[in-house]
Amino acid sequence: MMITDDPFLDAAKEVLRSNRLNHFTKPAPRLYPYQWNWDTGFISMAYALYDESKVYEEYQSLFAGQWSNGMLPQIIFHEESDAYFPGPDFWMTDRSKLVSDVNSSGITMPAVHGFVMLYLLTKTTNLDNTSRFLKYIIPHIIESHAFMYEYRDPAAEALPCIIHPWESGTDNSPLYDKSLSLINIDKDTLPEYIRKDLKYRNAASHRPDNTDYDRFVYLVDLFRTRDYNQKHIINDCPFVIQDPLFIALLNYSNEALIEICQFLNMDYSIIDEWYTATNEAMYSKLFGSRDRFAAYDFCNSEFIEGITSSSMMPALTVPLSTEETKAMFGSFENDFIRKAHPSCPTTMPSHSNYEANRYWRGPIWLNLNYLLYKVFNLHGKKEMTDRLIHDSIDLVRGNGFFEYFNASKGQNDIACGSPDFSWTAAMYIVFKNELQGNN
Ligand code: DGY
């Protein structure tokens, strides 16, 4: 049961209602006019609490864009719009024979759908309908995981890679700065393009800069000139990263899929193998002798040491000793929590590339607050768990349903990016539900 005496809950549902088009919810009213992959997952968690039929519709729409190699695209272009770059004309994914008959971009995004489906199963008020829906969708989600292990794991380490910052979900993170800076761009051969994201409020200081966009575009051009052949792309791509958030969410979803398959009496032996291998590899390679998880740059054969909140995320599934968790949480609280307010910045505030307002370079995002909340909860850190819930709720109440928020101490105008952002509204609904469950 939801709390019903909170006007912000009604406002949150209204944000979702007004961003909903035919059978899917766009992330924001103007900036993002299509269906985004991981946004659909976070948005559906809220629908799971008050209108399950919308979860089914969201997922049917999303998976209508799944490619025959299993890849679940980052963006599904259901409807025409000239409000966003790059749209279908730029992606040219019809160069691949693997596309579905719904237009999409040619890369993927973090695999959140396993744990979102477990969330649905846990919250459902109609077990018959939900079980029927899960029997239909789970095989497709498993195919999207198989894609990661088959095509994105070049050294067969069970650590699937991203090939574009947009695949990480945390596009502009300082984690990728060095790898991107090493890509040589020849302006004469770079396709011409016009950004459409710069016309909004504070866009110049909140959105990625043009140097990053040149690299984003360069990579898309590389993919389309290889006709989206994954083997050629992995061989030729100058940006191949083992990203701790991307891999952590895949394995968190693997874990959830095992539980769902057990419930539905479905075979999960392959998922079990992925789960164990990925946990072991995250621990041995990405944790190693550190006190947090690093990313690994495959092209330049070097670790990118932990500087973002993603460096904690593999603790969603990787078993750690008491000493290891103490060191990880201790350094995290020192670096991130004491130097900022409210919780939780996505980049360590004392890092030289921290930017308080810019896209994924420091600000708070409520979907990551939810995932951090799960990490702290799993490890019994009650103080941080409470803080993440209350800070997230207060951020929305004080500023509105913005896309992200400045985390630096003592700021006034902390709202960043798009207003009426769908997953901010959804996470508000989810956090309120958690609060009710915890009291
Ligand atoms: C954007 O356009 O900024 C999106 O994050 C890409 O997924």
Side-chain angles (χ1 to χ4, degrees):
M1 286 282 284
M2 302 282 299
I3 296 169
T4 50
D5 57 356
D6 174 4
F8 289 92
L9 268 184
D10 295 334
K13 289 182 190 171
E14 178 52 27
V15 168
L16 294 179
R17 196 204 56 74
S18 64
N19 285 340
R20 196 163 156 84
L21 300 172
N22 262 339
H23 304 296
F24 76 93
T25 308
K26 56 184 176 172
R30 292 182 303 144
L31 187 55
Y32 309 110
Y34 303 112
Q35 184 170 25
W36 258 258
N37 181 332
W38 79 331
D39 293 67
T40 298
F42 293 110
I43 291 164
S44 295
M45 290 174 70
Y47 287 140
L49 297 173
Y50 68 95
D51 187 352
E52 294 177 35
S53 65
K54 290 213 171 59
V55 182
Y56 312 155
E57 287 176 10
E58 292 282 332
Y59 272 84
Q60 263 149 5
S61 301
L62 182 66
F63 277 81
Q66 186 169 31
W67 290 23
S68 62
N69 60 359
M71 188 182 79
L72 188 62
Q74 163 225 18
I75 309 174
I76 313 294
F77 302 118
H78 293 288
E79 308 197 352
E80 294 276 313
S81 168
D82 61 5
Y84 180 79
F85 171 82
D89 295 349
F90 193 84
W91 280 99
M92 300 180 191
T93 48
D94 53 1
R95 290 185 175 187
S96 167
K97 293 194 172 50
L98 305 171
V99 290
S100 83
D101 49 14
V102 183
N103 243 325
S104 72
S105 70
I107 54 173
T108 189
M109 266 198 141
V112 298
H113 306 298
F115 69 80
V116 173
M117 289 302 104
L118 183 59
Y119 187 83
L120 170 69
L121 182 59
T122 316
K123 301 288 178 184
T124 187
T125 52
N126 190 332
L127 197 52
D128 283 351
N129 279 355
T130 291
S131 301
R132 239 192 324 275
F133 167 70
L134 289 175
K135 281 189 185 133
Y136 146 77
I137 202 74
I138 294 300
H140 297 295
I141 298 179
I142 296 173
E143 281 165 20
S144 71
H145 287 209
F147 165 83
M148 306 273 195
Y149 288 95
E150 182 166 354
Y151 296 105
R152 290 303 179 74
D153 191 22
E157 293 174 296
L159 295 174
C161 300
I162 54 168
I163 54 166
H164 194 296
W166 287 338
E167 288 203 319
S168 70
T170 57
D171 310 0
N172 211 26
S173 166
L175 272 185
Y176 317 130
D177 284 359
K178 183 168 175 206
S179 318
L180 287 175
S181 74
L182 293 173
I183 302 178
N184 276 326
I185 301 287
D186 176 359
K187 282 277 196 186
D188 292 337
T189 54
L190 189 72
E192 279 182 23
Y193 68 96
I194 298 175
R195 291 179 64 174
K196 305 224 168 131
D197 57 326
L198 291 177
K199 55 179 182 262
Y200 302 109
R201 170 189 174 268
N202 292 330
S205 58
H206 291 187
R207 292 284 302 169
D209 62 29
N210 287 336
T211 326
D212 293 320
Y213 255 82
D214 280 354
R215 279 151 183 83
F216 297 162
V217 164
Y218 170 88
L219 290 170
V220 173
D221 189 44
L222 186 142
F223 306 153
R224 62 187 194 179
T225 53
R226 273 121 191 113
D227 296 337
Y228 295 96
N229 178 307
Q230 296 296 323
K231 296 225 158 77
H232 296 167
I233 289 174
I234 279 280
N235 282 336
D236 300 346
C237 187
F239 182 93
V240 179
I241 305 265
Q242 287 168 328
D243 177 83
L245 176 66
F246 186 82
I247 301 169
L249 296 185
L250 175 66
N251 225 28
Y252 193 38
S253 278
N254 278 334
E255 186 177 76
L257 288 177
I258 292 172
E259 203 172 323
I260 299 171
C261 287
Q262 284 168 339
F263 174 77
L264 295 174
N265 268 326
M266 287 169 65
D267 178 36
Y268 58 89
S269 41
I270 184 70
I271 313 170
D272 220 9
E273 280 173 32
W274 293 333
Y275 178 69
T276 307
T278 298
N279 255 0
E280 284 173 6
M282 281 196 283
Y283 183 68
S284 60
K285 182 169 178 179
L286 303 185
F287 196 80
S289 54
R290 298 171 189 82
D291 63 4
R292 57 179 78 166
F293 295 84
Y296 185 74
D297 179 333
F298 220 81
C299 298
N300 299 303
S301 307
E302 63 184 15
F303 286 98
I304 310 165
E305 298 301 335
I307 50 172
T308 71
S309 60
S310 304
S311 3
M312 290 231 311
M313 294 300 184
L316 282 166
T317 60
V318 177
L320 294 170
S321 70
T322 317
E323 289 72 39
E324 286 165 336
T325 41
K326 210 170 150 203
M328 183 176 71
F329 289 123
S331 73
F332 186 82
E333 284 179 38
N334 270 332
D335 290 343
F336 282 79
I337 305 303
R338 303 227 166 84
K339 293 181 182 135
H341 183 80
S343 304
C344 179
T346 40
T347 297
M348 184 166 81
S350 56
H351 186 268
S352 53
N353 291 350
Y354 171 81
E355 286 183 78
N357 287 320
R358 201 179 296 280
Y359 208 53
W360 294 113
R361 299 183 70 78
I364 303 162
W365 294 74
L366 254 57
N367 65 332
L368 289 202
N369 264 10
Y370 172 77
L371 294 167
L372 287 171
Y373 158 81
K374 293 306 278 187
V375 171
F376 283 110
N377 209 12
L378 269 166
H379 293 274
K381 304 280 289 179
K382 177 104 175 68
E383 196 192 320
M384 271 311 298
T385 310
D386 288 350
R387 185 161 166 180
L388 280 159
I389 291 200
H390 289 290
D391 283 0
S392 300
I393 288 174
D394 291 349
L395 277 167
V396 165
R397 291 186 166 191
N399 304 280
F401 297 99
F402 271 83
E403 187 178 359
Y404 45 106
F405 303 94
N406 182 322
S408 298
K409 281 183 173 154
Q411 302 291 308
N412 288 327
D413 184 14
I414 67 170
C416 300
S418 174
D420 294 333
F421 197 70
S422 293
W423 82 33
T424 305
M427 291 299 98
Y428 183 85
I429 295 168
V430 166
F431 274 125
K432 286 292 302 207
N433 185 268
E434 292 290 310
L435 199 55
Q436 194 184 29
N438 287 345
N439 284 338

